[in-house]
Amino acid sequence: MGWWKVNADTLAGSRFVLSPLAEAFASLILLHKGAGGYAGGHPGEHAWLRTHLPAYRALLARDPVTALLVRAGLGREWIADFLTPTPRDGESFAEGVARVRAADPAAARAHLRTSLAGALPAELERDDLPERAAGLLEYVWTRAVRPSWERRRRVLEADVGARTAQMSRGGWAAVLDALRPGTRWLGENRFQVNLHEYPPREISGAQLLFVPVTPQHGWVAWDESEHRYAVVYPCAGVLAAGAGERRPAVPAALGALLGGSRAQVLVLLGSPLSTTQLSAVTGQALGSVGRHLRVLLDAGLVERRRAGRSVLYSRTGAGQVLLAAASGDAGSEGDAGAGGETGTGGETGAGGEPVSAPGSSVRIGPGRGAGSREALASVHDH
């Protein structure tokens, strides 16, 4: 397993940050896997792949060199470093992709040899690889990510709120254990970042960043020159599904009874969610979500509980019975619409009003950090 040694000051100075470039690269990974037959991990990914995969396949068919570059760069256990510069707080997509474009061609070829764990194909012995990689990321961003970026950003912000609320309830170990498969707090200042047998790294005093993305993929990155380390992780459950092109289906009978928007809120509450998270997933305004929740509370269909600074809402038994009946499945006890379990909260108050809305960067505690990066982990360890 790969692990980092992290002291208390480094954890206290950690930040959650949003990265448009990381979102675009995670979407490129999803397209790459989709081209290989992967159908997506939830309905949102299914729909997104159906929309964007044909044009992506056509693009690479016209450009076999870039197609080979993608296959080489997304190795079985290693991603070519130059493809994923370590995220920076507040960096725009244009600023991030400029760093990909500015990579040294010789270094890019060396990174590809590492990701391939072998010799570089003759077709990739050329100096325009960084330009090609940047151009492909620009394509993915422009065609497949930017049109839904505002919705994605709301989902990412809700995830940040959920993680910070989780930390207030269970401490750092709870956050790191649930970040993504392969991460966990080992104790004695050791943070396991993946399942690969890589040498441990001492990062005490570095800037440690946690970067959510909506596709179900993750990696680690670091820049030793800036002393900055990052863990890119997928949003959890229903939040990730909510970033897709399709929201969970609302049974027609339930929509007729409650109204479509209110019924959608009830459908999503198979797992505890905050007002902020519901707003992010549904696209409804916070005030509208709050009004729906008050009606559902008064009707006994949902309940609420406080978790630290957050208030979480979930379906009651009566709400589940109503949903099952409207779905034509009276014996169902599962979640008819949540894309997975979250068990975490956002930054909201009891009346549906925000206590503190998460932004694009959230410092988790007082402290300091520097910055750094160098190589990354695998697309296959999520």
Side-chain angles (χ1 to χ4, degrees), residues 10 15 24 51 68 98 124 167 176 190 224 330 334 338 347 376:
T10 300
R15 283 182 179 272
T51 299
L68 185 58
L124 297 182
M167 189 191 67
L176 300 180
R190 296 176 303 155
E224 291 183 330
E347 302 291 298
L376 347 183

Side-chain angles (χ1 to χ4, degrees), residues 8 10-12 14 16 167 170-177 185 208 210 364-365:
T10 300
L11 278 179
S14 300
F16 282 93
M167 189 191 67
W172 265 111
V175 174
L176 300 180
D177 287 351
W185 183 247
L208 179 58
F210 298 99
I364 301 174

Side-chain angles (χ1 to χ4, degrees), residues 22 60 64 82 115 132 137:
L60 294 191
F82 79 100
S115 63
R132 287 176 174 273
L137 286 167

Side-chain angles (χ1 to χ4, degrees), residues 20 34 67 83 92 134 148 150 156 181 191 202 211 215 238 256 263 282 302 326 334 355:
L83 295 175
S92 68
S148 58
E150 287 306 308
L156 297 172
F191 172 32
E202 168 65 68
V211 185
V238 67
T282 64
V302 304
V355 172

Side-chain angles (χ1 to χ4, degrees), residues 284-308:
Q284 300 178 37
L286 276 172
S288 297
V289 171
R291 287 190 292 273
H292 294 323
L293 288 170
R294 282 192 288 273
V295 171
L296 295 172
L297 280 166
D298 290 344
L301 300 177
V302 304
E303 60 187 1
R304 68 185 177 192
R305 62 181 175 84
R306 181 168 290 279

